[in-house]
Amino acid sequence: MKNYAIVTKELTKRFGDFIATNAITFEVEQGEIFGFLGANGAGKTTAMRMLCGLLKPSSGEAKVAGFDVYTQTEKVKQSIGYMSQKFSLYEDLTVKENIRFYGGIYGLSNQQIKDKTHALLQQLNMEKEAGHLVSSLPLGWKQKLSFSIAVIHDPSIVFLDEPTGGVDPITRRQFWDLIYEAADRGVTIFVTTHYMDEAEYCNRISIMVDGKIKALDTPKKLKEQFNADSMNDVFLQLARAKS
Amino acid sequence: MLPIVVENIHKSFGDVKALQNISFTVEEGELFGLIGPDGAGKSTLFRILATLLLADKGTASVNGSDVVKDYRTIRSQVGYMPGRFSLYQDLTIEENLNFFATIFNTTVEENYDLIKEIYEQIEPFKKRPAGKLSGGMKQKLALCCALVHKPKVLFLDEPTTGVDPVSRKEFWEMLQRLKEKGIPILVSTPYMDEAILCDRVALMQKGEIMMINTPAAIVADFGKPIWAARADNMYHLIRDIRAFEGTDSCYAFGEYLHVTLHQPVEELKDHLKAHKGLIITPAKAGIEDAFMQLMQEQNEAV
């Protein structure tokens, strides 16, 4: 039997008369890189907040890392990592202080924090910058650091909400190296992006339009299905079809 | 009289060199793109041209007026859409537009032909406060407000950042139509794929212009053969190609990797023969390939 990191069934969220997320059903396998795409306002953020245990669904079911998003939200939060473009490290704390702070938040012991700090600085090649304020780091380094901190408690799933916006093309690709590496270790990656070339790096992709999942498959199969050269074409066909 | 002339502009904030020796011109009716990531200096340059910030060194003129001496003239002649949404959130669409028209001593009716096409798309929501609009609608309203006084030059600072591909495409279609009306446009973007929609572009990184040219010429100048590679396990493929001694660069590009080599491609194929589903074919360079190559040269020069 397959091991699922995320399972949803008819997951729905209403705000008054407005249905932000409309009965979405999908599964994400453990260790998969899953791209969660959609136009602005398609309902991605709402869906993601429900999966992170931050927003109670109106109806439907969802399990994340085996935990129920209605009744076990604390367990869900402990099992996931989260990073967004806006999610910021504390700019006026040093690199090391940020690591210690988030390690503490996630309940790691002092010894674990010490070990993690060492391993993480070495992996990021940032040992020299350990005592530097985060505000002094280039944007690309901040992003790599915030990704590493998002997985400091070894979550089985990490949610990345537009992690690469505004980043230069080399740093953007180095960031994806980190994503690949984590997936190779078996971490499930749930990622949103507006860069359609990045959609190609995912194992599977879902595309949301007006609150519903309109397509879900591997990039290769989606391109075949829509007779398109690139994921950008697929996206334009789907998202434009609505109006 | 050229719409925009920038000569040897420098600007620092403390130790940070935001702009270094920036020079370029924008021709009549041209759509000119500033292409670069966050921190390239794009917004600083816009603020200098919009007369909101003084340069440390150098000169610039907009429509023949100097950005320091003639700042009042410039302010009445340009349309400026800043990177951060800066309309009044608690005024409606209609109220915002009327407000900006009044500020510039004009009326919405007077220049309606210029904004008609864009305004009609948001008109059904004209009684809605700007703060309650979707990203795409905010962007259209901001463009209308920047155009309502019929500016002689249009400045658009990252109008498509964080916007989905559909809205981005629509926005660029609007820009093309504005360009056809003869308005010179200076637009910035971090999305490399948008460069090809400009007449000419400046590729910017860390406060410097690395290259100015037409998108076609930049791509034609790339000068090295590029190979597109893929295999069943892309992560292992990247690692193995980077470990190959003949590799100059290897980056992910959508479903393929783009590879440049200083050894024959046959040797790379031999090095990778254990990979399942391996495909290596010649590829064409894009703006992003050129940008990354220039970035590497810039980094090596430091």
Side-chain angles (χ1 to χ4, degrees):
Chain A
M1 207 190 102
K2 277 178 182 165
N3 197 358
Y4 290 115
I6 301 172
V7 180
T8 77
K9 205 174 156 194
E10 308 272 310
L11 187 66
T12 301
K13 181 68 192 183
R14 289 187 202 86
F15 296 105
D17 293 340
F18 178 65
I19 307 177
T21 304
N22 194 350
I24 59 171
T25 301
F26 66 95
E27 290 109 28
V28 179
E29 286 172 36
Q30 190 62 44
E32 190 173 26
I33 303 178
F34 190 85
F36 196 61
L37 312 185
N40 298 115
K44 297 190 302 282
T45 305
T46 303
M48 203 138 144
R49 291 185 63 203
M50 287 191 281
L51 295 176
C52 292
L54 297 170
L55 185 68
K56 213 179 181 80
S58 304
S59 63
E61 299 166 21
K63 279 195 169 169
V64 174
F67 299 111
D68 186 280
V69 300
Y70 289 89
T71 57
Q72 298 176 294
T73 52
E74 283 313 308
K75 290 275 186 202
V76 168
K77 287 178 203 166
Q78 284 162 26
S79 319
I80 63 170
Y82 177 81
M83 174 198 161
S84 86
Q85 191 189 338
K86 283 158 212 133
F87 165 74
S88 45
L89 302 165
Y90 288 87
E91 296 262 322
D92 46 4
L93 295 184
T94 65
V95 170
K96 217 172 164 177
E97 286 166 343
N98 266 287
I99 299 172
R100 198 172 80 207
F101 176 77
Y102 281 100
I105 289 278
Y106 281 114
L108 302 190
S109 69
N110 282 341
Q111 188 58 45
Q112 281 172 316
I113 290 173
K114 213 174 146 193
D115 295 344
K116 277 281 176 189
T117 305
H118 181 72
L120 205 150
L121 290 173
Q122 198 169 32
Q123 191 201 352
L124 293 174
N125 205 4
M126 278 173 67
E127 283 142 319
K128 267 194 238 149
E129 287 77 14
H132 292 190
L133 291 183
V134 161
S135 59
S136 71
L137 298 179
L139 181 67
W141 291 30
K142 282 187 206 171
Q143 272 176 319
K144 284 182 241 174
L145 180 62
S146 69
F147 178 80
S148 302
I149 286 180
V151 296
I152 195 165
H153 54 303
D154 293 321
S156 59
I157 307 168
V158 55
F159 289 84
L160 306 173
D161 194 1
E162 287 181 36
T164 55
V167 177
D168 73 67
I170 292 183
T171 309
R172 197 152 73 79
R173 285 168 174 82
Q174 288 170 345
F175 191 81
W176 272 89
D177 290 349
L178 280 182
I179 295 180
Y180 273 131
E181 217 173 280
D184 205 50
R185 290 198 307 266
V187 180
T188 307
I189 312 282
F190 188 94
V191 59
T192 73
T193 178
H194 284 321
Y195 289 100
M196 287 302 123
D197 60 330
E198 294 185 349
E200 305 268 5
Y201 310 156
C202 302
N203 298 118
R204 286 191 308 147
I205 290 162
S206 73
I207 300 180
M208 272 185 93
V209 181
D210 291 341
K212 292 186 181 151
I213 291 184
K214 279 286 157 79
L216 197 169
D217 217 320
T218 63
K220 187 161 177 270
K221 291 212 177 112
L222 285 176
K223 281 183 282 184
E224 281 166 14
Q225 186 188 336
F226 289 89
N227 195 17
D229 292 338
S230 65
M231 279 311 300
N232 198 44
D233 283 349
V234 174
F235 191 92
L236 291 176
Q237 282 187 41
L238 272 171
R240 276 214 171 158
K242 65 172 177 179
S243 47
Chain B
M1 189 170 60
L2 291 166
I4 302 173
V5 180
V6 177
E7 283 174 339
N8 307 326
I9 288 281
H10 289 254
K11 179 75 193 177
S12 294
F13 298 104
D15 295 338
V16 180
K17 291 177 178 165
L19 292 173
Q20 295 182 69
N21 205 21
I22 300 292
S23 301
F24 67 97
T25 57
V26 176
E27 313 273 329
E28 203 56 64
E30 193 172 37
L31 178 52
F32 190 98
L34 302 172
I35 315 291
D38 290 357
K42 306 186 299 292
S43 299
T44 304
L45 186 53
F46 273 112
R47 292 175 63 205
I48 290 171
L49 291 174
T51 76
L52 301 173
L53 187 71
L54 292 173
D56 298 336
K57 240 167 81 181
T59 58
S61 69
V62 176
N63 211 33
S65 302
D66 182 87
V67 290
V68 182
K69 283 206 310 281
D70 311 319
Y71 72 94
R72 282 175 187 275
T73 317
I74 293 180
R75 285 182 190 183
S76 67
Q77 287 180 347
V78 303
Y80 172 44
M81 184 172 156
R84 195 173 296 167
F85 183 69
S86 47
L87 302 179
Y88 292 92
Q89 308 261 6
D90 45 2
L91 293 187
T92 64
I93 287 184
E94 210 175 21
E95 287 164 344
N96 265 296
L97 198 55
N98 279 321
F99 175 81
F100 280 93
T102 311
I103 290 276
F104 286 103
N105 282 321
T106 181
T107 60
V108 175
E109 291 73 32
E110 198 168 328
N111 300 313
Y112 190 65
D113 58 311
L114 193 59
I115 60 168
K116 181 171 180 285
E117 199 185 348
I118 307 161
Y119 186 63
E120 277 172 356
Q121 299 173 46
I122 52 173
E123 204 177 5
F125 313 98
K126 64 184 181 188
K127 302 284 183 203
R128 195 181 287 185
K132 297 220 161 109
L133 299 174
S134 72
M137 287 203 283
K138 276 183 183 166
Q139 184 200 39
K140 284 171 189 157
L141 175 60
L143 184 58
C144 284
C145 291
L147 284 169
V148 71
H149 60 297
K150 205 174 182 184
K152 294 199 165 95
V153 182
L154 192 55
F155 295 146
L156 306 172
D157 191 4
E158 296 205 19
T160 56
T161 293
V163 176
D164 68 71
V166 176
S167 308
R168 278 169 55 193
K169 190 155 186 268
E170 287 173 357
F171 195 83
W172 279 93
E173 286 163 2
M174 285 188 279
L175 290 193
Q176 291 297 340
R177 288 193 290 271
L178 284 174
K179 194 192 101 137
E180 282 158 22
K181 290 179 176 156
I183 304 176
I185 303 172
L186 182 67
V187 58
S188 68
T189 176
Y191 296 104
M192 304 281 146
D193 58 342
E194 293 181 343
I196 52 167
L197 303 168
C198 303
D199 296 322
R200 282 190 307 145
V201 295
L203 302 184
M204 291 182 75
Q205 166 75 1
K206 292 183 186 162
E208 291 179 55
I209 291 181
M210 302 188 294
M211 184 180 269
I212 300 176
N213 216 329
T214 63
I218 289 175
V219 170
D221 264 6
F222 187 73
K224 268 191 203 171
I226 288 190
W227 299 96
R230 65 165 296 123
D232 291 351
N233 188 328
M234 291 296 273
Y235 174 59
H236 291 160
L237 185 67
I238 290 187
R239 284 201 315 202
D240 291 346
I241 292 179
R242 287 191 183 147
F244 175 61
E245 55 180 15
T247 300
D248 282 333
S249 69
C250 171
Y251 293 114
F253 264 85
E255 64 178 317
Y256 287 92
L257 306 177
H258 278 190
V259 183
T260 61
L261 300 168
H262 57 262
Q263 280 182 13
V265 70
E266 286 69 30
E267 286 177 32
L268 177 67
K269 283 182 185 165
D270 193 48
H271 175 75
L272 300 172
K273 62 182 177 238
H275 274 273
K276 287 206 182 93
L278 181 70
I279 300 171
I280 299 182
T281 55
K284 279 202 179 99
I287 293 286
E288 202 157 4
D289 293 291
F291 194 95
M292 294 201 291
Q293 193 184 42
L294 290 165
M295 263 182 83
Q296 274 180 330
E297 285 167 14
Q298 189 191 38
N299 288 341
E300 280 156 19
V302 172

